[in-house]
């Protein structure tokens, strides 16, 4: 089995440094351009299936990459983006910080082991657990053993998948950093064990 894990293309919220989480924000024009360029970069990959977050920005990215191909898409709630709860839609740009959000929120990026999710949000521990459940399930699907699968997801959700592959604690949740918009990570799965072949490759 081969997995090609991709973070969705750019959205206006990405550009503005706003928390998207579960808000269903579409790609912007540049985000669509990135997806189209990524389509060209992955043109020779014989995808059998696409597994996507149900949010439109992930689905649209996958649809643009797979345009013209007969590849089925299945949405999976386990790879939806982390929920920021009451912090969703709020800006974390240091130059335009939304004061309704505590400055400690910056731990989400800088010190993930200290991040405290709002009461109605999702912790990084919970995110890692559900993305790990997705990964284990897919890697042990015998009916997928010979498949090449496009997995279209989000920055934090993708980091959760990679943290599970690398066996990273939450304190090192981001590993080498958040994947770029339309960054592609290739994973080989043999005997149920995933191995990263390349990480965060861009085609633009």
């Amino acid at each position: 089995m081969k997995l090609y894990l991709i973070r969705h293309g750019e959205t206006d919220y990405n550009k503005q440094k706003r928390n998207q989480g579960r808000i269903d924000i579409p790609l912007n024009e540049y985000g669509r351009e990135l997806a189209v360029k990524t389509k060209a970069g992955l043109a020779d990959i014989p995808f059998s299936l696409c597994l996507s977050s149900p949010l439109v920005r992930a689905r649209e990215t996958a649809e643009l990459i797979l345009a013209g191909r007969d590849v089925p898409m299945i949405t999976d709630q386990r790879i939806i983006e982390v929920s920021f709860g009451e912090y969703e839609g709020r800006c974390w740009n240091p130059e335009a910080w939304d004061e309704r959000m505590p400055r400690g929120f910056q731990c989400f990026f800088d010190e993930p082991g200290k991040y405290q999710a709002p009461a109605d949000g999702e912790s990084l521990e919970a995110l890692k657990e559900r993305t790990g459940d997705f990964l284990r399930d897919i890697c042990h699907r015998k009916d997928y053993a010979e498949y090449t699968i496009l997995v279209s997801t989000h920055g934090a959700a993708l980091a959760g998948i990679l943290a599970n592959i690398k066996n990273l604690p939450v304190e090192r949740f981001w590993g080498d950093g958040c994947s770029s918009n339309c960054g592609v990570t290739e994973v080989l799965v043999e005997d149920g064990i995933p191995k990263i072949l390349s990480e965060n490759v861009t085609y633009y």
Side-chain angles (χ1 to χ4, degrees), residues 5-40:
L5 312 174
I6 186 168
R7 182 185 177 198
H8 61 78
E10 187 187 85
T11 70
D12 285 343
Y13 270 33
N14 290 145
K15 191 173 182 179
Q16 297 163 6
K17 296 186 178 180
R18 289 185 181 275
N19 292 325
Q20 290 183 102
R22 305 290 174 81
I23 300 176
D24 213 2
I25 303 297
L27 300 180
N28 60 23
E29 284 306 310
Y30 182 61
R32 295 184 184 99
E33 179 183 328
L34 298 186
V36 170
K37 288 180 177 178
T38 304
K39 169 185 171 66

Side-chain angles (χ1 to χ4, degrees), residues 171-193:
E171 289 75 12
R172 295 184 56 214
F173 182 83
W174 296 103
D176 296 324
C178 185
S179 292
S180 305
N181 288 115
C182 282
V184 179
T185 295
E186 182 181 359
V187 176
L188 175 66
V189 181
E190 293 182 314
D191 299 321
I193 299 173

